[in-house]
Amino acid sequence: MRTRHVNLLITLIAVVLFSFSCFCISRMTQTSNQLTNCRNHISEFKESILRLKNKTERNRQELLNAFKEMKRDITKKERDAQNAVEKKVNALDTNETVSDAFEVLKFFFPHLRKVDRIYPDVIMGREKTGVTFALGISTVNRGNYSYLKQTLTSILSRMTLAEEKDSVVIISIADSNENYVKSVVDMITKKFKRQVTSGSLEVISIPAYFYPNISHAARSTDNSEKLESWRIKQVLDFCFLMLYAQPKAMYYLQLEDDILANKMYLTKITDFVRSITSNNWLYIEFSVLGFIGKLFKSEDLTDFVRFFLMFYKDKPVDLLLGDIFLVKMCTPGEALEKCIERNKHIRIRYKPSLFQHVGIQSSYPGREQYFKEI
């Protein structure tokens, strides 16, 4: 009986141990499966993270490429715009034509008669035409002194946007010094890029071969001959600028590179011209100093240039301007006083002056001037 109980107990223990073993094995299997699933989840998570990282990297690279492409496009557009405004007229195709206004020079300068095409170098220009006003400024190297930026800032900032659209300001570099030409172009490109791009500001350069042989006077040690040579060149500088501006606008306003303009100067000029009932005027003075602020009808410019070229060796341009009236308006035998009185209706002066001369260092080397409007 005791043995039977012992066997039964052993059997029970064996069953319990077997059941426990099965349970443990089952739990271990479940845990193993869970661990495997966990590892699989971790692996999938890593793969997802890796895919996300790769995708993020691709997106970042695509974004960088897009930015680079945009930057290239912007740079290209800026370069194309710059090239468009910095074209040279001497690079024109044979099928293109330019104004023949400069052909008049061949009559006065025999050395130009063998030149096929006479035209200044257009450094910056959009060939703007059909406007009301062309404003001409001739500039030369004054050494360490320059008033051009100040002058241009005054001229352009005191226009309305409508006036700027209906005008073109022409800078004529009448100097063969390449460094000076480059300095002017660089300054205008940086400071007045908007006006250049719109076509409201142009820069031309006068080739040295335009001028007749007046260099002998410049090399002379005689100061009077140097001054005479400088005056001769100045007359020619104005002539070349006027010929270039003539086909562009209805009116031409002569300025200089060392002046300041009054506020609303162009509005006042427009209103004054419209107030003149007769169209029989030759020019209007908006400044009494020299050749500053003289307004011409563009249709008359060629006649003025022809007169200047006839006597460019004899007098400064402002004195030649006065002589035109004596030639055109005074009849033979007429008293000069009577002629001058009659010419007041043709030679019109606006008051007060709209332009003030500010340059102290003259364009003639070593000379100072202190001219001011009274």
Side-chain angles (χ1 to χ4, degrees), residues 322-343:
D323 290 344
I324 290 180
F325 289 95
L326 301 180
V327 175
K328 291 179 70 71
M329 300 301 169
C330 295
T331 59
E334 182 182 20
L336 181 60
E337 293 79 8
K338 183 178 179 181
C339 179
I340 293 174
E341 181 62 30
R342 182 162 48 84
N343 284 339

Side-chain angles (χ1 to χ4, degrees), residues 296-311:
F296 303 87
K297 288 175 284 189
S298 291
E299 62 187 23
D300 295 335
L301 284 180
T302 304
D303 289 338
F304 278 99
V305 169
R306 287 195 181 106
F307 187 86
F308 295 155
L309 292 176
M310 288 175 64
F311 303 103

Side-chain angles (χ1 to χ4, degrees), residues 251-316:
Y251 301 105
Y252 173 74
L253 180 64
Q254 180 65 60
L255 301 173
E256 294 188 8
D257 64 348
D258 56 352
I259 58 100
L260 293 179
N262 287 4
K263 293 180 179 179
M264 298 179 64
Y265 73 96
L266 202 53
T267 302
K268 294 175 182 177
I269 290 175
T270 302
D271 292 343
F272 186 74
V273 172
R274 288 174 178 172
S275 71
I276 301 174
T277 56
S278 171
N279 196 41
N280 194 31
W281 53 272
L282 283 184
Y283 72 84
I284 303 173
E285 295 182 280
F286 290 96
S287 171
V288 298
L289 290 178
F291 208 42
I292 299 171
K294 305 302 185 284
L295 183 74
F296 303 87
K297 288 175 284 189
S298 291
E299 62 187 23
D300 295 335
L301 284 180
T302 304
D303 289 338
F304 278 99
V305 169
R306 287 195 181 106
F307 187 86
F308 295 155
L309 292 176
M310 288 175 64
F311 303 103
Y312 73 93
K313 295 180 182 179
D314 302 311
K315 289 183 179 181

Side-chain angles (χ1 to χ4, degrees), residues 5-112:
H5 287 162
V6 170
N7 291 337
L8 183 61
L9 180 61
I10 292 172
T11 301
L12 181 61
I13 292 171
V15 171
V16 172
L17 289 173
F18 177 76
S19 298
F20 181 76
S21 298
C22 291
F23 173 79
C24 289
I25 292 171
S26 175
R27 294 297 298 175
M28 289 176 64
T29 301
Q30 290 179 0
T31 302
S32 177
N33 291 337
Q34 289 177 350
L35 288 174
T36 300
N37 291 336
C38 185
R39 282 196 299 267
N40 291 338
H41 286 312
I42 291 173
S43 179
E44 291 176 359
F45 180 73
K46 286 182 178 179
E47 290 178 359
S48 298
I49 292 296
L50 183 60
R51 285 196 299 270
L52 183 61
K53 180 180 178 182
N54 292 336
K55 186 176 180 180
T56 302
E57 180 64 24
R58 285 197 302 272
N59 291 340
R60 188 181 72 85
Q61 193 62 42
E62 289 174 359
L63 188 60
L64 287 175
N65 291 337
F67 278 128
K68 289 179 181 178
E69 188 67 26
M70 290 174 60
K71 185 177 181 180
R72 280 195 296 267
D73 289 342
I74 293 171
T75 302
K76 184 178 182 300
K77 289 178 180 179
E78 289 181 348
R79 185 168 59 249
D80 291 344
Q82 186 69 15
N83 291 337
V85 298
E86 292 186 359
K87 58 186 176 179
K88 295 276 189 176
V89 167
N90 57 7
L92 289 173
D93 295 334
T94 55
N95 293 329
E96 294 182 282
T97 58
V98 295
S99 171
D100 61 354
F102 285 82
E103 292 299 306
V104 68
L105 298 176
K106 293 183 178 180
F107 180 81
F108 296 94
F109 302 141
H111 74 283
L112 293 177

Side-chain angles (χ1 to χ4, degrees), residues 174-241:
D175 199 301
S176 59
N177 185 311
E178 293 183 1
N179 290 332
Y180 180 68
V181 174
K182 185 178 184 303
S183 70
V184 172
V185 171
D186 289 345
M187 180 274 290
I188 290 176
T189 301
K190 294 175 183 178
K191 180 70 176 176
F192 305 101
K193 184 176 181 179
R194 179 181 63 80
Q195 290 85 352
V196 171
T197 303
S198 70
S200 297
L201 179 58
E202 297 189 6
V203 180
I204 65 174
S205 177
I206 306 301
Y209 74 85
F210 272 35
Y211 299 89
N213 186 17
I214 56 175
S215 58
H216 63 283
R219 289 194 300 266
S220 170
T221 57
D222 188 330
N223 287 334
S224 63
E225 289 188 7
K226 287 183 179 180
L227 180 59
E228 181 181 356
S229 175
W230 170 76
R231 285 175 174 167
I232 289 173
K233 180 181 178 299
Q234 188 179 60
V235 177
L236 298 179
D237 292 344
F238 289 130
C239 288
F240 300 149
L241 177 54

Side-chain angles (χ1 to χ4, degrees), residues 134-135 137 152 155-156 159 167-171 200-203:
L135 293 73
I137 301 175
L152 274 177
I155 293 297
L156 293 169
M159 287 183 182
S167 305
V168 56
V169 178
I170 305 165
I171 305 300
S200 297
L201 179 58
E202 297 189 6
V203 180

